[in-house]
Amino acid sequence: SGRVRFYVDDMERPLYDGEAEPFFRRPYDVFSEIKAIDQERFRSTVYQRDASYAPFPFAERLRIVWTGKLEEIHFYHIQVRTYAAGTAVASFRPDDIARYKDTIDQVTSALNGPDARPLAESSKPARPIEITLAPGEKREALRLEGPGALERFWLRLEADHLDAALRQTVLNVICDGFPRGQVQSPVGDFFGAAPGVNPYRSLPFSVREDGRMTCRFIMPFEKTLSLVVENLGGQDVRLSGEAVPMDFAWDERAMHFRAGWRVDHDLIASGEDVQDLPFLLARGKGAYVGTTSILLNPATPPASWGNWWGEGDEKVFVDDDEVPSIFGTGSEDYYNYSWSSPDIFFYPYCGQPRNDGPGNRGFVTNFRWHILDRIPFANSIGFYMELNSHERTPGLSYARTAYYYARPGTIDDLRSIKPDDVRELRLPEGWQPAARFGAENSVFYPAEDVITDRKNTSLRDGRLWAGGRVLVWTPQKPGERKTLRFLVDKAGKVGIHITAALTPHSGKICAWLEDRQAGAAEEPLEINLFDPFRTLLRTYSLKPVDLTPGEHVLVLEYKGTDGPTARPEIGVDFIWVQKVGESS
């Protein structure tokens, strides 16, 4: 909320004078010069979810004034990079956008298509990676002689139980005789999209639908680099890929790339007993460049307001800090989004490639890369994030990876990964949605208990679904309908919610109540349940209506599919009726 005035150097009139929200999310849009560039690509690369990386250089000074009501919610992050004295900086002017349009378009093109690697430097041939690991086996998959660097590499795993293999196969990158891997992480977690294969694209990492996982963080070394893989699981694992080496002049400024993974199982998340979880404690000189959080969240309320895990703030202590240099406003704000959004999204520097749902329940993964905003440290760094949830939640598992560069001799608090750390995680059996927080005053109806016609339906088992099963309807053609009946015990205004499955085989439906059509302009609520890569659980809400006591009918109509599936399906887990007010 509020307004922002933004001044550069000695200007008397502000460069920006307007509402706060567009300033923080889309600041260049106020300038007419933005028409000179590829705006669509700019808005999906430089603007990233609730954050903007659009730069405002200043030669002498910067002044930002916020005006608003202090008692209203308002929070924001402003990041400033300062340069050494004497550095020539040209202050921002709106016509810079048009003047440098070719450069801007080149940069956004590279950010938008990092797999094409338009900025690749190495002319050396790729080195193949091809090994098979038996349970308990540890083998070297690649060795490079230096000085040099690993510019990029990609891996793909094959196993009978792939999700387990991605967590239980540990990647080690060992440079220059270090006693353990400077990179030490489960393979799937290292690439930022665990558990399983969850396709996404970012600047340093990409995961494709076919399981190919690419890392573009450059890894320098002085004498040797060894890529060692260890199988801590109980099945054979086949690993394939390739690595691209590059020339690199090692000197007194050069640093090794590091990625340290750790996990805590069986945590009790709480909003009262808040814990500071360590991501990295290191002594030495380096720069912090990225973070992932990978959770199993077994909370039972079916709404984000209730099952949210990430109220906790990041706290980053740099060098001799007694108070954190960076003290955040919430885990999702650190990851560049807000309000515990359950959406699947990804951008060059941030993303949420997995969030099972409903709300933020289940397996959840967030990443953030510090590309423009790396965090340098001269002698030490301590990175923590609070675990602060909406309600007390036992059984939460929280894995996280800290990515950073460091000079030789830097020490950290990371320990070797043990088999119990990478044990297979599963959602609790037979969970039932709880009528608390955003679901208070609700009655839940399993779809299989209230559907009036079971033709072309079946039940599918799985721990994602309430009660361990979901109703799957396989309509034969568009226009088919199913009816679900529910009771209202007292007159009043109620909200009707449909918690349904998104899958690669799902189609589209419309939903309405009896003869009273729900949704804007008295039209049915349209729901597209197709997701090309994932199986998710999401809630869709009809417009609240006044209902009388007694039985009521919710109608679902099949509207076809956007996906290339020969046997489309509609999965409905449960519906819930929530009292939201007295009758009008």
Side-chain angles (χ1 to χ4, degrees):
S1 61
R3 296 181 66 82
V4 163
R5 283 176 289 145
F6 180 90
Y7 302 84
V8 169
D9 296 342
D10 295 323
M11 60 177 52
E12 295 183 1
R13 298 181 60 185
L15 192 63
Y16 180 95
D17 186 357
E19 295 181 5
E21 182 175 345
F23 171 77
F24 285 104
R25 286 182 168 156
R26 302 173 299 277
Y28 276 19
D29 283 12
V30 73
F31 306 118
S32 61
E33 288 82 357
I34 197 164
K35 297 176 183 178
I37 64 174
D38 188 321
Q39 298 177 63
E40 181 178 355
R41 197 166 63 219
F42 191 87
R43 288 170 180 151
S44 64
T45 55
V46 177
Y47 299 162
Q48 300 189 27
R49 193 64 182 193
D50 289 342
S52 167
Y53 289 89
F56 288 97
F58 56 97
E60 298 178 5
R61 62 185 56 84
L62 175 72
R63 181 173 176 235
I64 301 175
V65 180
W66 175 86
T67 305
K69 297 180 180 179
L70 292 176
E71 64 273 14
E72 292 183 357
I73 290 178
H74 57 283
F75 49 92
Y76 45 82
H77 295 179
I78 297 172
Q79 294 185 323
V80 179
R81 188 209 302 227
T82 57
Y83 297 92
T87 302
V89 176
S91 297
F92 176 84
R93 294 294 181 268
D95 59 8
D96 289 341
I97 301 172
R99 180 180 300 118
Y100 299 109
K101 64 182 181 64
D102 292 341
T103 300
I104 293 172
D105 284 343
Q106 180 185 12
V107 169
T108 59
S109 178
L111 290 172
N112 192 55
D115 283 321
R117 194 57 182 171
L119 303 179
E121 297 179 6
S122 180
S123 59
K124 294 190 172 185
R127 297 274 299 273
I129 297 171
E130 194 82 33
I131 59 171
T132 298
L133 295 168
E137 189 175 7
K138 184 175 184 178
R139 292 181 58 189
E140 184 177 75
L142 175 74
R143 187 172 185 84
L144 302 176
E145 302 294 329
L150 179 58
E151 186 187 65
R152 65 189 186 276
F153 71 99
W154 65 265
L155 298 175
R156 183 187 290 116
L157 261 65
E158 295 177 56
D160 290 340
H161 303 289
L162 183 58
D163 284 14
L166 287 166
R167 171 56 71 91
Q168 295 174 342
T169 307
V170 176
L171 172 68
N172 299 271
V173 180
I174 307 169
C175 296
D176 299 329
F178 200 70
R180 58 180 173 81
Q182 282 100 334
V183 171
Q184 185 182 212
S185 170
V187 171
D189 291 56
F190 173 74
F191 290 94
V197 174
N198 298 284
Y200 83 95
R201 184 177 65 247
S202 74
L203 186 60
F205 288 108
S206 297
V207 175
R208 294 185 181 178
E209 298 82 6
D210 63 1
R212 174 170 167 162
M213 302 171 290
T214 301
C215 171
R216 288 178 285 270
F217 271 120
I218 293 176
M219 302 183 185
F221 58 96
E222 183 179 13
K223 297 177 181 178
T224 60
L225 179 146
S226 176
L227 193 154
V228 177
V229 186
E230 183 175 13
N231 183 0
L232 295 180
Q235 60 177 327
D236 289 346
V237 175
R238 181 176 176 269
L239 184 143
S240 59
E242 66 178 24
V244 179
M246 64 180 290
D247 293 326
F248 186 91
W250 185 273
D251 59 23
E252 70 281 356
R253 299 177 305 157
M255 295 184 284
H256 293 123
F257 177 77
R258 297 189 176 199
W261 179 90
R262 72 182 80 204
V263 67
D264 288 295
H265 297 304
D266 301 318
L267 288 168
I268 299 176
S270 172
E272 297 179 356
D273 184 17
V274 176
Q275 307 170 59
D276 283 325
L277 298 181
F279 282 53
L280 175 67
L281 299 174
R283 296 196 66 83
K285 183 176 183 178
Y288 191 91
V289 296
T291 313
T292 61
S293 291
I294 299 174
L295 298 92
L296 169 57
N297 175 22
T300 55
S304 291
W305 170 230
N307 64 28
W308 175 232
W309 55 269
E311 290 292 342
D313 306 333
E314 78 275 14
K315 302 172 183 177
V316 186
F317 296 82
V318 176
D319 296 338
D320 299 321
D321 279 348
E322 294 183 3
V323 175
S325 287
I326 301 172
F327 199 140
T329 59
S331 303
E332 80 272 48
D333 302 322
Y334 170 76
Y335 287 112
N336 283 354
Y337 67 107
S338 56
W339 301 115
S340 56
S341 172
D343 295 352
I344 300 296
F345 64 90
F346 45 86
Y347 294 88
Y349 306 153
C350 66
Q352 181 167 255
R354 179 156 182 175
N355 187 85
D356 290 352
N360 304 99
R361 185 179 188 275
F363 288 102
V364 182
T365 299
N366 287 180
F367 67 80
R368 161 104 178 260
W369 315 128
H370 293 270
I371 306 298
L372 296 178
D373 57 340
R374 64 189 181 277
I375 306 171
F377 53 95
N379 53 59
S380 68
I381 188 170
F383 190 109
Y384 300 85
M385 193 173 292
E386 295 173 330
L387 176 58
N388 183 343
S389 59
H390 280 167
E391 74 169 9
R392 187 178 186 275
T393 305
L396 185 138
S397 175
Y398 198 132
R400 58 266 191 206
T401 307
Y403 303 80
Y404 69 109
Y405 285 89
R407 284 287 296 157
T410 299
I411 60 174
D412 60 41
D413 68 326
L414 296 164
R415 298 175 297 174
S416 296
I417 297 172
K418 302 295 191 295
D420 185 63
D421 295 331
V422 295
R423 68 193 193 216
E424 187 173 1
L425 298 178
R426 304 182 71 186
L427 288 164
E429 284 189 293
W431 82 280
Q432 295 294 341
R436 296 191 293 270
F437 291 90
E440 66 179 356
N441 299 321
S442 294
V443 178
F444 302 99
Y445 297 91
E448 63 269 22
D449 292 348
V450 294
I451 193 167
T452 61
D453 173 14
R454 294 289 293 269
K455 184 180 179 181
N456 294 327
T457 69
S458 61
L459 294 177
R460 183 174 298 162
D461 294 336
R463 295 185 179 225
L464 179 62
W465 322 117
R469 58 186 186 179
V470 62
L471 177 76
V472 179
W473 167 33
T474 52
Q476 304 304 298
K477 60 183 180 179
E480 289 187 25
R481 295 182 179 183
K482 290 295 181 185
T483 300
L484 295 88
R485 298 184 182 274
F486 60 91
L487 293 174
V488 172
D489 61 358
K490 187 178 180 181
K493 187 176 289 294
V494 299
I496 308 298
H497 311 283
I498 305 164
T499 301
L502 278 72
T503 77
H505 307 289
S506 294
K508 298 179 288 187
I509 58 173
C510 283
W512 64 88
L513 286 173
E514 298 174 321
D515 297 329
R516 306 181 62 164
Q517 293 182 329
E522 294 300 315
E523 295 180 357
L525 176 65
E526 297 183 0
I527 305 171
N528 189 349
L529 297 172
F530 175 72
D531 186 284
F533 310 122
R534 300 166 175 86
T535 297
L536 309 170
L537 199 52
R538 293 292 185 266
T539 296
Y540 302 89
S541 301
L542 279 68
K543 184 178 178 180
V545 293
D546 289 318
L547 293 182
T548 57
E551 186 178 83
H552 295 270
V553 173
L554 173 68
V555 179
L556 307 180
E557 180 178 329
Y558 175 61
K559 304 295 287 186
T561 180
D562 289 339
T565 178
R567 193 169 184 266
E569 62 185 33
I570 303 296
V572 182
D573 196 8
F574 57 93
I575 63 171
W576 35 304
V577 181
Q578 183 176 33
K579 184 178 180 181
V580 296
E582 300 299 327
S583 181
S584 58

